[in-house]
Amino acid sequence: MHILMIECNPNGIAGIANALELGHDVTLVSVDPDFYLSVSPLTEAAYAHPNCQVVKSEQAFSIDELIDLAQQLHADKPIHGVTTYSEYHTVHTAAVAEALGLPGMSVDGARNARHKHLTRTVLDGTGVRQPRFAVATDPAEVEAAVREVGFPCVAKPSDGTASLHVLHLKDESDLRDYLAELAQVADYGRGVVRIPEIVIEEFVPGELISVESCVLAGGEVVNLGLTDRSLSGFPYFIEMGLTYFSGHPLQDELFAATTAVLNGLGVDFGFIHTEWLLGPDGPVLCEVNGRLAGGIVPTLMEISSGVDPYLEVIRLALGERPELAFPRETTASGHWFGSPVAGTVESIGFDALTDLPGFHSALGYKKPGTAINRLSRSNFDWIGHVIFTGGDRDEAAKRCQDGLDRIDLRLSVEVAR
């Protein structure tokens, strides 16, 4: 079978590698294929595999031109499935699948999930609990939108990801700083152009938790499990730790609400990641991502269930019924880490972790000689992660915290002057 992968994400290279191991042909279309060489140790071998074709295209973010390219590739070697692990490219993937007559999410459903202002407006008045919100279609309208919602509030680009440019605003000073930052952001890199809409939302205090789901062909929603999420401090919302599990007291309510949200948005196919804030009055919808959860969540899902979600994304795209990663007896937890200061990586060592109870794996993302920022603004400031298992959610998460204390991070920094 021939899989067309429209961009990817760093951890999603594992899905490409697994598909190649099973004998599939994979064509990766990317604006910058070299990006994946710098972020995943699996990329070099995947690119060298005889069944892997890498197509560099500056037009990978133009839907019309991407469809033309896909049709050319399809004419040369028939494509049997189209997919992505990239949040930025879910609408593109849906459009290409539709153009080729292959399984995929409806384009409207993909767009409603992808663009946060559409998520809010489509679900407004449907009974889904959402924060108060206002949408600004121009930077000049952001101030008025903030006035409508009131402080404290959260500002976020409608098409952002990885918590990039998502900010907690508490007063006029924060608003001025945010407007100045926003004025400098025209794109997200790698050819991804930002749309103008900004969503201003009421700040809802409470635990952040996500529902991981799969919408099977025919639109049947299957909710798999929950992922809790710990965040860094304000004003940013960097995800730092998470655990994949089942059995939360609000699980039934979260599952039912997620099904209603996906049906309401027209999200009718694929692995889906839906985030909720557990506010004082109950779950409040945070956002919907029309693709498999990112980061290390799929790894946690595989440890707990024995099912590789990356591979099941590909099976679903091929029209097969996937195996589903329901949590089982083992609970898996992961935690990212960053640097307290900017500098240059000399080494990241994990030797002291390997004998700790529940240790599963650890990975440093930055090679020696790489310049890094202080952990401060978004998920792009991560420099590695650790994963531990435990008998329950609390034990696995505590083991991660203990493991963080054993990491040997060595940097060279400039002296204060």
Side-chain angles (χ1 to χ4, degrees), residues 337 347-353 403-410:
F337 62 93
S347 63
I348 304 176
F350 301 111
D351 289 349
L353 281 68
L404 293 173
D405 293 331
R406 305 288 190 94
I407 296 170
D408 183 10
L409 173 62
R410 299 180 184 238

Side-chain angles (χ1 to χ4, degrees), residues 25 47 51 76 115 126 166 203 222 234:
D25 294 317
Y47 283 5
N51 292 350
D76 292 339
H115 298 309
T126 65
V166 178
F203 171 66
V222 182
F234 292 153

